[in-house]
Amino acid sequence: MQAAGPRPGTAGAASESTNVRVAVRVRPLVAKERMERARECIRVENPNSLVIGKDRRFTFDFVHGPDSKQESLYTDAVVPLVEGCLKGYNATVLAYGQTGSGKTYTMGSGSTTSLLEEQVGIIPRVIQDLFYHMHENKHEAEFLVRCSFLEIYNEEVRDLLHPDTDPKGIHIRERENGEIFVAGVREEVATSEEEL
């Protein structure tokens, strides 16, 4: 399956026939930008579309504006994926954007020790939900959590759980049955939220 990004003026929202959903989060201006009197150039028109500049309109499955909360993005775009995982389906959440666009904040892959609950990102929320649901259903099913943590930067895949792994030995592959896997990355088994 190929997924193409939305084009200006088109209905880019995914239909029911695809498993790919696209969510956009527009970050607020940072302090430096406000001090320089920068102006926002993206306007959220509705929950599914935004306008760049004066009239370049784009449509997505979810659009979250500068005032959006971590929890609302998580609820809209990620909770259905977590529910699917608990039913045995694979899911991927991919953060894409230039440096400084808010990927680390949205994903929550930085330190969470001093964050308020509303600042917690996607990854810690997924971990919390998975282990909660596994605990609630431990008498109905057996669960095994294996984790890898990857970064793709400048077309190079890095193993963040084992940073000494040579990126040249990591490759994204497809098996004959269509299953995608990453060769050369180690997975860790986790038995608790704290281990992740």
Side-chain angles (χ1 to χ4, degrees), residues 4-172:
R7 296 181 308 277
T10 65
S15 70
E16 291 302 315
S17 65
T18 182
N19 293 323
V20 177
R21 302 284 186 260
V22 179
V24 173
R25 183 174 201 183
V26 180
R27 73 159 173 78
L29 295 176
V30 295
K32 181 178 185 243
E33 293 166 333
R34 288 191 306 270
M35 285 178 55
E36 294 171 349
R37 294 195 171 123
R39 294 188 341 229
E40 292 183 354
C41 62
I42 300 174
R43 184 177 78 250
V44 175
E45 199 169 57
N46 62 54
N48 301 101
S49 69
L50 56 82
V51 177
I52 298 177
K54 293 183 181 184
D55 62 355
R56 294 197 62 189
R57 181 170 286 105
F58 295 86
T59 304
F60 300 92
D61 295 291
F62 310 100
V63 175
H64 290 264
D67 297 326
S68 66
K69 305 292 184 219
Q70 295 279 61
E71 184 175 4
S72 67
L73 175 66
Y74 179 73
T75 300
D76 288 349
V78 182
V79 166
L81 299 176
V82 173
E83 292 169 350
C85 282
L86 292 166
K87 294 176 183 172
Y89 295 99
N90 292 323
T92 299
V93 176
L94 175 72
Y96 179 82
Q98 68 187 47
T99 300
S101 62
K103 298 178 302 294
T104 300
Y105 176 76
T106 297
M107 294 300 286
S109 56
S111 173
T112 59
T113 55
S114 61
L115 293 180
L116 301 172
E117 174 62 27
E118 61 265 15
Q119 295 173 314
V120 173
I122 290 172
I123 294 170
R125 289 175 191 272
V126 166
I127 292 167
Q128 183 179 21
D129 278 359
L130 281 176
F131 280 99
Y132 171 80
H133 288 291
M134 290 183 333
H135 177 74
E136 290 295 306
N137 296 294
K138 65 184 174 188
H139 300 295
E140 298 171 28
E142 186 175 310
F143 296 95
L144 173 65
V145 175
R146 291 184 299 196
C147 177
S148 57
F149 192 39
L150 308 175
E151 175 184 63
I152 303 173
Y153 185 75
N154 285 336
E155 299 183 25
E156 185 175 87
V157 181
R158 295 177 25 198
D159 185 343
L160 297 180
L161 292 180
H162 302 281
D164 294 335
T165 303
D166 183 0
K168 291 182 175 114
I170 300 173
H171 305 283
I172 299 172

